[in-house]
């Protein structure tokens, strides 16, 4: 079939699903989006192309689609994409940013679609390995809460060992009981080994010791391989035509063959506005300059295991190990000599003290030690790779010794990632940007852990677009990126730059408006204060007074969004006694319980007001009376102390550009649009949005922000 015929057939499948869905109304915007999805995916060349033999260069095809609330994005991309994948003999990979959307797709949208499409398909959820239990670790811990066999006790990080030493006896016994119950539940088949399917998912410090991880996993050579939850789930992925993953897993597994190959699948990125920030997180790195005893442990393991296997490359391990320890100590001392006064002068109550390296230009005295560190780490890693290779060969040749060999493999694998992180961080810190090029962000932190002072070094790229262009888009053939908020101040340019697609000839954009009549359904109330929002103390006092006046009139459900914990605390403290029973505060209850209580109150005809921050400003679906009012206490500018943002702003200023106009305002516009988007969720909703920040209507950039919001009826209110 030609690409045109493929697109037409995919669109027919979409139309058939819509007409077969009971009570479903045709939405012009949704069909417009489905048409673009079908065109995009039908024109992409998939699979290997041999250009040397005369085959044409592969066609890349990428669509960036903003679809307003109520368009029905998931059906608009799922139906045509899956129909095309089935007819082209390929797969669909859907990546989201939140667990909520993943669950909606896997538990609701895809089952409903599978019942309507004529051709059957399977779908599966892909999660990172660390979401699953390692049966070997669990069995070991379920016995005593510690390692049972000699030689296995060093499978724990030193921080975990120190924590266990300080832990009260009753807490240790509770841990043992917890792991024992978990192991029994797993062995009976009453639990599938997925952390998220436990009734109460454990805290990270409890889960971490039993979580599966790639570095210590021996795969099919592991004695528990036949009962491994992670590999069972991997088998489900192999047989699935549709795989639902998340942005973190997508970026962290590039080139690892965990997910379908990007040049031979149809990629959908929903909640795509999160992709740039995820990319920066994924490619940032850090290293601890203070806690270094793990190097000696890794060295002794490498020497012992390498000698058993007669690996010649271990000869230089003692030299590399000693050099690493000495160099890290030297680096910690130099950092404190250069930056100690700045680091020690910062208040510890706000987390680790931090100092950023201006322009990414490291002091001269740090350059040589970092070079030495990178070289020693590389030599050490080469030796470990030789040992791992020998271990895998031994496992292959001696399957009856799998348990012993797996333990040896894990003993190295538990600590090797730290060495890899040292190497990566040193390399990025040493990266010297040529004249006019973009430098990396580089900074150091200081924190106190008990009696111990911990110094860390950090580095990160500052342009997510460059990172995504090099690592993701170079491999992708066909992709659709979608979200309700991809334009900023009315334009796609900001997102395209952030996502690495600006100027990419394969990329097309489409804006599909919401079907809602915002002017009739909602009112945006610009409720001004006398105080300037930049005067935080005076503004917060005045804003809280106005907020309390307004929420006192709430009849059903409402959401108040704050820009800082301190701001929220002051509002909570100011609540009159009669109103305290009406307000539900984020983190006072687990999120699911808080939302359940909110729904129960509203359904009983009682007022209920949620106080929340950024995570409640996005992805929260409270239709109808559940959220008749949204209160935005202040424009949601990003925190001013982010070192990556600081470094980027510094670079922009250095090249004669304005970071506030080019970076801060567009990013705030997307965040504000998300917050405002909590108000109108269905075509029947009526809602008010209050904003207490007068900059929204009084400044030129505020007018830009307004352009990016739904066309509510605007009402301006003078200070009370």
């Amino acid at each position: 079939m030609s690409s045109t015929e493929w697109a037409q057939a995919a669109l027919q499948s979409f139309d058939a699903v819509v007409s077969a869905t009971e009570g479903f109304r045709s939405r012009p915007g949704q069909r417009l989006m489905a048409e673009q999805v079908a065109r995009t995916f039908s024109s992409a060349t998939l699979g290997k192309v041999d250009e040397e033999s005369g085959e044409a260069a592969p066609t890349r095809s990428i669509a960036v689609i903003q679809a307003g609330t109520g368009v029905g994005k998931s059906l608009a991309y799922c139906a045509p994409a899956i129909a095309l994948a089935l007819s082209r003999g390929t797969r669909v990979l859907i990546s989201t940013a939140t667990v909520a959307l993943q669950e909606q797709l896997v538990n609701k949208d895809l089952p409903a679609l599978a019942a309507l499409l004529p051709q059957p398909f399977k779908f599966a959820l892909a999660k990172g390995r660390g979401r699953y239990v390692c049966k070997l670790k669990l069995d070991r811990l379920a016995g005593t809460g510690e390692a049972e066999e000699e030689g296995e006790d060093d499978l724990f990080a030193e921080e975990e060992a120190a924590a266990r030493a300080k832990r009260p006896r009753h807490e240790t016994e509770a841990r043992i009981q917890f792991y024992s119950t978990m192991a029994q539940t797993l062995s009976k088949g009453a639990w599938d080994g997925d952390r998220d399917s436990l009734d109460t998912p454990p805290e990270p410090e409890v889960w971490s010791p039993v979580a599966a991880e790639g570095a210590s996993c021996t795969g099919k050579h592991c004695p528990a391989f036949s009962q491994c939850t992670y590999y069972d789930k991997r088998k489900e992925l192999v047989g699935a035509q549709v795989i639902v993953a998340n942005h973190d897993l997508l970026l962290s597994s590039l080139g690892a063959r965990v997910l379908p190959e990007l040049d031979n699948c149809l990629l959908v990125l929903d909640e795509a506005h999160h992709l740039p920030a995820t990319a920066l997180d994924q490619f940032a790195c850090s290293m601890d300059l203070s806690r270094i005893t793990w190097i000696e442990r890794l060295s002794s393991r490498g020497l012992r295991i390498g000698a058993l296997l007669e690996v010649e490359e271990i000869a230089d391990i003692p030299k590399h190990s000693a050099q690493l320890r000495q160099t890290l100590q030297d680096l910690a001392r130099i950092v404190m000599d250069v930056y100690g006064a700045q680091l020690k002068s910062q208040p510890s109550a706000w987390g680790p003290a931090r100092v950023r390296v201006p322009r990414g230009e490291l002091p001269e005295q740090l350059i040589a030690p970092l070079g030495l560190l990178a070289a020693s780490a590389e030599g050490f890693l080469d030796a470990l790779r030789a040992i791992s290779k020998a271990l895998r060969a031994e496992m292959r040749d001696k399957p009856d010794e799998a348990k012993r060999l797996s333990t040896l493999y894990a003993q190295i694998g538990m600590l090797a990632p730290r060495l890899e992180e040292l190497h990566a961080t040193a390399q990025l810190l040493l990266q010297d940007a040529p004249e006019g090029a973009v430098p990396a962000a580089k900074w150091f932190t200081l924190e106190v852990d008990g009696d111990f002072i911990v110094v860390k070094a950090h580095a990160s790229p500052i342009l997510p677009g460059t990172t995504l262009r090099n690592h993701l888009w170079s491999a992708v053939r066909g992709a659709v990126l979608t979200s309700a908020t991809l334009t900023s101040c009315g334009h796609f340019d900001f997102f395209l730059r952030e996502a690495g697609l600006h100027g990419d000839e394969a990329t097309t954009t489409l804006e599909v408006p919401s079907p809602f009549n915002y002017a009739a359904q909602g009112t945006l109330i610009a409720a001004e204060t006398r105080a300037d929002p930049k005067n935080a103390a005076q503004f917060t006092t005045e804003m809280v007074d106005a907020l309390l006046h307004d929420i006192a009139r709430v009849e059903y459900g409402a959401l108040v969004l704050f820009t800082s914990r301190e701001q929220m605390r002051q509002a909570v403290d100011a609540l009159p006694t009669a109103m305290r029973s009406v307000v539900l505060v984020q983190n006072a209850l687990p999120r699911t319980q808080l939302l359940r209580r909110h729904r129960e109150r509203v359904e009983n005809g009682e007022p209920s007001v949620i106080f929340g921050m950024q995570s409640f400003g996005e992805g929260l679906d409270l239709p109808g009376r559940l959220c008749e009012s949204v209160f935005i206490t202040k424009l949601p500018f990003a925190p001013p102390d982010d070192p990556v943002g600081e470094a980027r702003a510094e670079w922009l200023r250095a090249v004669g550009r304005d970071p506030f106009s080019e970076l801060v305002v567009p990013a705030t516009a997307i965040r504000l649009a998300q917050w405002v988007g909590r108000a109108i969720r269905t075509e029947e909703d009526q809602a008010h949005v209050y904003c207490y920040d007068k900059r929204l209507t009084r400044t030129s950039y505020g007018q830009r922000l307004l352009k990016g919001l739904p066309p509510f009826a605007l009402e301006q209110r003078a200070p009370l």
Side-chain angles (χ1 to χ4, degrees), residues 655-715:
V655 294
R657 289 154 65 180
D658 176 18
F660 184 76
S661 179
E662 190 172 320
L663 187 62
V664 176
V665 173
T668 303
I670 288 177
R671 199 173 296 115
L672 182 62
Q674 282 286 342
W675 285 23
V676 169
R678 299 313 97 211
I680 305 287
R681 307 301 298 171
T682 74
E683 292 179 33
E684 289 75 41
D685 285 2
Q686 292 284 331
H688 292 84
V689 177
Y690 294 76
C691 180
Y692 298 97
D693 195 324
K694 63 183 178 183
R695 294 174 294 184
L696 184 62
T697 53
R698 294 288 192 93
T699 62
S700 58
Y701 63 81
Q703 295 298 319
R704 287 175 61 196
L705 296 176
L706 276 172
K707 285 181 183 175
L709 298 181
F712 288 109
L714 179 63
E715 181 182 309

Side-chain angles (χ1 to χ4, degrees), residues 525-531 538-553 579 631 690-694 698 715-720:
I525 300 164
E528 296 191 355
T529 58
R530 290 182 180 84
Q538 193 177 340
F539 168 78
T540 300
T541 300
E542 198 176 334
M543 178 276 293
V544 167
D545 286 343
L547 173 66
L548 297 185
H549 171 271
D550 291 329
I551 65 174
R553 297 183 295 172
M579 205 179 285
F631 300 90
Y690 294 76
C691 180
Y692 298 97
D693 195 324
K694 63 183 178 183
R698 294 288 192 93
E715 181 182 309
Q716 291 185 257
R717 190 179 80 186
L720 295 175

Side-chain angles (χ1 to χ4, degrees), residues 93-98 102 105-106 124-127 243-250 253 259 268:
L93 173 58
I94 303 172
S95 179
T96 78
T98 62
Q102 284 184 312
L105 286 163
V106 171
L125 178 60
K127 296 183 182 181
I243 294 171
V244 180
N246 61 50
H247 301 342
D248 277 308
L249 180 61
L250 173 69
S253 60
L259 298 173
V268 177

Side-chain angles (χ1 to χ4, degrees), residues 591-610:
R591 182 181 173 113
T592 51
Q593 287 183 33
L594 184 147
L595 294 175
R596 189 185 311 125
R597 188 168 297 182
H598 176 74
R599 288 188 175 94
E600 288 169 356
R601 286 180 179 179
V602 174
E603 286 166 4
N604 291 332
E606 303 168 15
S608 182
V609 181
I610 296 173

Side-chain angles (χ1 to χ4, degrees), residues 544-545 547-553 570-583 611:
V544 167
D545 286 343
L547 173 66
L548 297 185
H549 171 271
D550 291 329
I551 65 174
R553 297 183 295 172
Q570 290 186 42
V572 171
D573 288 349
L575 285 169
T577 305
M579 205 179 285
R580 288 181 180 269
S581 61
V582 172
V583 174
F611 277 17

